[in-house]
Amino acid sequence: MKKIAIGQAGGPTSVINATLVGFVKQTMSKCSLSFIRNGYDGLVHGEFIEGNDTTLQWITQHEKVPGACLGSGRYPLSDEEIEKAVRILREKRIDALVFIGGNGTMEALYKVGVEANRQGYDLQVIGLPKTVDNDLGCTDHAPGFGSAAKYVAQTTRDMSRDLHAMQNFEQVRILETMGRNAGWLAAASGFLKTYEEEGPHFIALPERQMNHEKLLQSVETALYRYGFAIVVVSEGVLWNQGAQVERDVVGGRSVLGGISKEIELYLKQELNIMARSELLGMNQRSYSLAVSSVDQSEAYFVGVTGADWIKEGRSGLMVAIERTKGLAYSIHLKPVALGAVVRAGERVMPDQFIDNLKSYYEWLEPIIGDHVSPYPPLFQMRDVKSS
Amino acid sequence: MKKIAIGQAGGPTSVINATLVGFVKQTMSKCSLSFIRNGYDGLVHGEFIEGNDTTLQWITQHEKVPGACLGSGRYPLSDEEIEKAVRILREKRIDALVFIGGNGTMEALYKVGVEANRQGYDLQVIGLPKTVDNDLGCTDHAPGFGSAAKYVAQTTRDMSRDLHAMQNFEQVRILETMGRNAGWLAAASGFLKTYEEEGPHFIALPERQMNHEKLLQSVETALYRYGFAIVVVSEGVLWNQGAQVERDVVGGRSVLGGISKEIELYLKQELNIMARSELLGMNQRSYSLAVSSVDQSEAYFVGVTGADWIKEGRSGLMVAIERTKGLAYSIHLKPVALGAVVRAGERVMPDQFIDNLKSYYEWLEPIIGDHVSPYPPLFQMRDVKSS
């Protein structure tokens, strides 16, 4: 009976457990499963959980639960630790190693595979994608992104209505999204925008140089026309041509957050208005009421497919999503070499989407799945007849 | 035909438009309606919108739309402005004035009624309650609160799962809720807590003195037992026995926000851990995916009832919610004098709820309405067999 170890790594998403459950349900009757706690940290420290009846039952209850139920986390592996990881897997006679994660996870998995190979140890490695930032290469999109995008889009539309009503008290709100160096999530904020007067009125993406003049102009125009302005900024946008705005550094990894506050202060000073910045925060990756049903089921089938590939003896691959050609949206899960994913690096938004957000939103629509239907138009100041 | 003017005031909620639509649908065929823009600001400045076919149709489309579609905002009325408001209403031959709002709104409405009376002008005034803070007196609860409480409760449960998975990177998250001087919303964060290990592990309410020792102890205990800790704090909690933490002052009104950051810095220093503070922000009052169906329909019927009372010639009243006695939850809408609401002032959480959160959650359950069923238990560190 094949022995498989599976773990989750990186920031959780609201559907990363769906991938785990898809994998487990497809595997549990045919293989011996063990679960790695807390991502690569647990792998290096030998924290494995036996896949007995109790744990299997417990895990399969998580199909619709956010967070990573095995524990996840960030843990950059040194070369020594990769060697150690391989030794541990070998001692445990693991035949296949599976990790659900993003760029960092795929790179580590690739290296583990190479090291096993070097030692002449026949280890299958399969990567299952997840990321809310959508910055994973070689796949049309990654599970987790659709739900996060839905959260950001709905938040922006709802806050437009809220701020519009408060304009005699507060005029500008700056919403900061996740995304690190990729603007997919920030750009998704405009997906539900139906009317000119609705926010966002300005979106700042990390792919482009911040343009203070254009920011100011867009906000002033919105204030003049609609009485309020919504600005959306990706956490990774560079301010003043300098560095990204950090709120913390943990284990050498920069925790971004604060660019929205810089913009708040700037706009207050330039325009003498009341502005408020908001980090949209961890709800982007965990809020269960915003889960996209399409994202949820794709996440699940990515897990199922990974399990099938293990059974077929495939290795060194990530399960990637490809859109099938045709009018209606449908996907095909295809193998890409882990090495290719590593070489592709962080995937930022392509120019054709940045320059034409409409085409981006057409691409995005099926991934976001069901969403609230459009609201009626906002009342505008110029409609009011003072008497 | 009776002439009615209606407006919305204070911070919007995700169901304040439902109250407006309930009122309008019950009234539109029998009365002449006009709409006041931007709350009391619009009243004093004569910004009225005629209730013609176009506007009536536009307004009734907002039943499930967050924000206040007429415009709302904060605008404290001086005595001169109250006189001016009454003069304007008189000139327009308004028979009845209706405002949807919270404490400040009811007080202004009461004063307008008193001033009209002094002038011998026969003006009906009716107040319709709304507040996410639930700090309005003389009513069991106010529309808007149930949906906000649902947002806070679901967020806390989901973030528990997220943070649990990230504990090798980040150990403490401090969530800051709305509520000003009342802890109803912050306390709601524990409503969906099913297991000891789930957050919140500490809740700070403005009704009680902040206890640093107890905060530290609760966080340390949670870190030791579960590896992570979720702290929830109401924006109005006093820090260091001093003042509330302000992020801004607009028109003399303090905009709260920042106590969670103080706690973050304090815990980082005392415990040498990674902590992150998050303001839950405007989604608490506007996120449409978190609307409680019960809250939504109660908001609607508060509007319908206000319309009936206007028809019956009643005045000087707020529509209050009373629970009917019996096993199943049901409500009765009863009149309370606006003067009594003003005298009652801001309603904070009563001691019996603070001292026994379980009884508070029993009280809260029907208002939150449908919610996601419990998650499976969290895996705990002590369950892991390292090998």
Side-chain angles (χ1 to χ4, degrees):
Chain A
M1 205 183 221
K2 200 173 260 189
K3 282 189 80 173
I4 307 171
I6 183 167
Q8 298 170 308
T13 76
S14 48
V15 300
I16 187 175
N17 285 332
T19 301
L20 177 68
V21 173
F23 184 91
V24 168
K25 283 198 176 166
Q26 190 74 352
T27 319
M28 54 198 267
S29 60
K30 303 153 208 146
C31 306
S32 154
L33 272 169
S34 59
F35 302 99
I36 302 162
R37 294 265 310 155
N38 300 324
Y40 287 103
D41 187 347
L43 174 59
V44 171
H45 296 98
E47 291 179 38
F48 284 62
I49 301 167
E50 199 81 2
N52 57 31
D53 286 355
T54 313
T55 49
L56 290 172
Q57 198 208 357
W58 175 80
I59 284 171
T60 51
Q61 286 168 349
H62 284 79
E63 188 174 336
K64 297 196 168 176
V65 176
C69 68
L70 301 178
S72 178
R74 307 198 185 285
Y75 193 85
L77 290 177
S78 65
D79 289 346
E80 292 72 40
E81 285 172 320
I82 285 170
E83 242 192 273
K84 190 179 170 198
V86 172
R87 201 169 60 239
I88 289 172
L89 291 164
R90 214 170 173 174
E91 281 167 14
K92 290 182 179 291
R93 302 173 185 279
I94 299 295
D95 300 299
L97 175 68
V98 179
F99 258 99
I100 315 172
N103 282 304
T105 308
M106 296 307 155
E107 189 174 347
L109 192 59
Y110 173 71
K111 288 179 178 169
V112 167
V114 168
E115 172 61 22
N117 205 23
R118 197 189 62 80
Q119 295 186 17
Y121 158 35
D122 187 20
L123 177 73
Q124 277 177 268
V125 292
I126 293 285
L128 306 177
K130 77 83 212 167
T131 162
V132 292
D133 298 340
N134 206 35
D135 60 353
L136 194 54
C138 306
T139 179
D140 180 77
H141 59 279
F145 169 65
S147 300
K150 181 174 171 181
Y151 185 84
V152 170
Q154 191 64 50
T155 289
T156 309
R157 175 153 85 174
D158 289 343
M159 280 209 201
S160 257
R161 300 287 155 158
D162 180 85
L163 185 59
H164 171 68
M166 290 301 283
Q167 55 187 265
N168 71 3
F169 182 75
E170 181 180 345
Q171 294 77 41
V172 180
R173 220 170 273 161
I174 306 111
L175 309 180
E176 181 170 331
T177 71
M178 292 181 172
R180 300 195 73 85
N181 303 310
W184 301 93
L185 265 187
S189 64
F191 172 71
L192 292 173
K193 177 170 174 148
T194 315
Y195 313 100
E196 265 306 302
E197 63 261 36
E198 282 186 309
H201 304 103
F202 185 81
I203 302 175
L205 304 176
E207 286 84 355
R208 295 283 165 92
Q209 177 89 48
M210 180 77 187
N211 186 331
H212 289 57
E213 188 48 46
K214 213 172 152 204
L215 163 69
L216 209 56
Q217 201 181 62
S218 305
V219 170
E220 283 180 306
T221 305
L223 288 174
Y224 179 75
R225 289 189 188 160
Y226 321 123
F228 75 105
I230 300 263
V231 172
V232 176
V233 59
S234 178
E235 62 179 1
V237 165
L238 303 186
W239 186 243
N240 285 334
Q241 302 173 36
Q244 290 176 325
V245 182
E246 285 177 353
R247 62 181 282 157
D248 230 314
V249 178
V250 181
R253 183 184 166 100
S254 148
V255 180
L256 299 177
I259 175 77
S260 55
K261 186 76 187 177
E262 300 290 334
I263 296 178
E264 173 193 322
L265 297 174
Y266 173 72
L267 292 176
K268 276 176 168 169
Q269 191 181 322
E270 293 290 320
L271 301 174
N272 192 28
I273 40 88
M274 166 62 178
R276 192 195 307 242
S277 53
E278 269 200 36
L279 272 71
L280 296 187
M282 296 300 146
N283 264 346
Q284 291 169 91
R285 70 184 195 201
S286 64
Y287 198 59
S288 56
L289 300 180
V291 168
S292 149
S293 54
V294 173
D295 190 28
Q296 169 91 34
S297 70
E298 288 183 354
Y300 186 89
F301 283 106
V302 160
V304 169
T305 302
D308 288 343
W309 292 2
I310 291 286
K311 201 173 63 188
E312 294 163 15
R314 303 171 91 165
S315 182
L317 303 172
M318 181 182 85
V319 176
I321 297 175
E322 188 176 52
R323 291 186 195 226
T324 47
K325 288 196 172 67
L327 278 176
Y329 173 78
S330 70
I331 61 162
H332 162 76
L333 298 178
K334 68 165 188 188
V336 293
L338 282 170
V341 176
V342 173
R343 281 190 301 279
E346 273 184 291
R347 183 175 68 148
V348 297
M349 265 185 93
D351 287 344
Q352 81 261 27
F353 279 164
I354 296 178
D355 296 330
N356 180 1
L357 284 175
K358 198 165 162 285
S359 70
Y360 172 53
Y361 297 142
E362 282 164 11
W363 175 90
L364 186 58
E365 177 152 34
I367 304 171
I368 285 195
D370 291 340
H371 50 82
V372 181
S373 47
Y375 294 156
L378 275 166
F379 237 55
Q380 291 174 36
M381 294 307 287
R382 60 171 173 269
D383 297 327
V384 180
K385 281 155 208 83
S386 189
S387 58
Chain B
M1 207 182 218
K2 200 172 259 186
K3 282 189 79 173
I4 307 172
I6 183 167
Q8 297 170 306
T13 76
S14 48
V15 300
I16 187 175
N17 284 332
T19 300
L20 178 68
V21 173
F23 185 90
V24 168
K25 285 199 175 165
Q26 189 75 352
T27 320
M28 53 197 271
S29 60
K30 303 155 207 144
C31 305
S32 155
L33 271 170
S34 60
F35 301 99
I36 302 163
R37 291 267 308 157
N38 300 325
Y40 287 103
D41 187 346
L43 174 59
V44 171
H45 296 99
E47 290 179 39
F48 284 61
I49 301 167
E50 200 80 4
N52 57 31
D53 286 355
T54 314
T55 50
L56 290 172
Q57 198 208 356
W58 175 80
I59 283 170
T60 52
Q61 287 169 350
H62 284 79
E63 189 174 334
K64 298 196 168 176
V65 177
C69 68
L70 301 179
S72 179
R74 307 197 186 285
Y75 193 83
L77 290 177
S78 65
D79 289 346
E80 292 71 41
E81 285 172 320
I82 285 168
E83 242 191 274
K84 190 181 169 196
V86 172
R87 202 167 62 238
I88 290 172
L89 292 164
R90 214 168 173 176
E91 281 166 15
K92 292 183 179 287
R93 301 174 186 278
I94 299 294
D95 299 301
L97 175 68
V98 179
F99 257 100
I100 315 173
N103 282 304
T105 307
M106 296 306 156
E107 188 174 347
L109 193 58
Y110 173 72
K111 287 179 178 170
V112 167
V114 168
E115 173 60 22
N117 204 24
R118 198 188 62 80
Q119 295 185 18
Y121 159 34
D122 187 20
L123 176 73
Q124 276 176 270
V125 291
I126 292 286
L128 305 178
K130 77 83 213 165
T131 162
V132 292
D133 298 341
N134 206 33
D135 59 354
L136 194 53
C138 305
T139 180
D140 181 77
H141 59 278
F145 169 65
S147 299
K150 182 174 170 180
Y151 185 83
V152 169
Q154 190 65 51
T155 290
T156 310
R157 176 153 84 175
D158 290 342
M159 281 208 201
S160 258
R161 300 287 155 159
D162 180 84
L163 185 58
H164 172 68
M166 290 301 282
Q167 54 187 266
N168 71 3
F169 182 74
E170 181 181 346
Q171 295 79 41
V172 180
R173 219 169 272 162
I174 305 111
L175 309 180
E176 181 170 333
T177 71
M178 291 182 173
R180 300 194 73 84
N181 303 309
W184 301 93
L185 264 186
S189 64
F191 173 70
L192 292 172
K193 178 171 173 143
T194 316
Y195 314 99
E196 265 307 304
E197 62 262 35
E198 282 186 307
H201 304 103
F202 185 81
I203 303 176
L205 304 176
E207 286 84 354
R208 296 282 165 91
Q209 177 87 49
M210 180 76 186
N211 185 331
H212 290 56
E213 188 48 46
K214 214 172 151 200
L215 163 69
L216 209 54
Q217 201 181 63
S218 304
V219 170
E220 283 180 308
T221 305
L223 288 174
Y224 179 74
R225 289 191 188 160
Y226 321 124
F228 74 105
I230 301 263
V231 173
V232 176
V233 59
S234 177
E235 62 179 1
V237 165
L238 303 185
W239 186 241
N240 285 333
Q241 301 171 37
Q244 290 176 325
V245 182
E246 286 178 352
R247 62 181 281 157
D248 229 315
V249 178
V250 181
R253 184 185 165 99
S254 149
V255 180
L256 299 177
I259 176 77
S260 55
K261 186 77 187 174
E262 300 290 333
I263 296 178
E264 173 192 322
L265 297 173
Y266 172 72
L267 292 176
K268 275 175 167 169
Q269 190 180 323
E270 293 291 321
L271 300 174
N272 193 28
I273 40 87
M274 165 62 179
R276 192 195 307 242
S277 54
E278 270 202 34
L279 272 71
L280 296 188
M282 295 300 146
N283 264 346
Q284 291 169 91
R285 70 183 195 201
S286 64
Y287 197 59
S288 55
L289 300 180
V291 167
S292 148
S293 54
V294 173
D295 190 28
Q296 169 91 32
S297 69
E298 287 183 353
Y300 187 89
F301 284 107
V302 159
V304 169
T305 302
D308 288 343
W309 292 1
I310 293 286
K311 201 173 66 188
E312 294 162 14
R314 302 171 92 165
S315 182
L317 303 172
M318 182 183 85
V319 176
I321 296 175
E322 189 176 53
R323 291 186 195 226
T324 47
K325 288 197 172 64
L327 279 177
Y329 173 78
S330 70
I331 61 161
H332 161 74
L333 298 178
K334 68 164 187 187
V336 292
L338 282 170
V341 175
V342 173
R343 280 189 303 278
E346 273 184 292
R347 183 175 68 147
V348 297
M349 266 185 93
D351 287 344
Q352 81 260 26
F353 279 165
I354 297 178
D355 295 331
N356 180 1
L357 283 175
K358 198 163 163 286
S359 69
Y360 171 53
Y361 297 143
E362 282 164 11
W363 175 90
L364 185 59
E365 176 150 36
I367 304 170
I368 285 193
D370 290 342
H371 50 82
V372 182
S373 46
Y375 294 156
L378 277 165
F379 235 57
Q380 292 173 36
M381 293 307 287
R382 60 171 172 268
D383 297 329
V384 180
K385 279 155 210 79
S386 188
S387 57

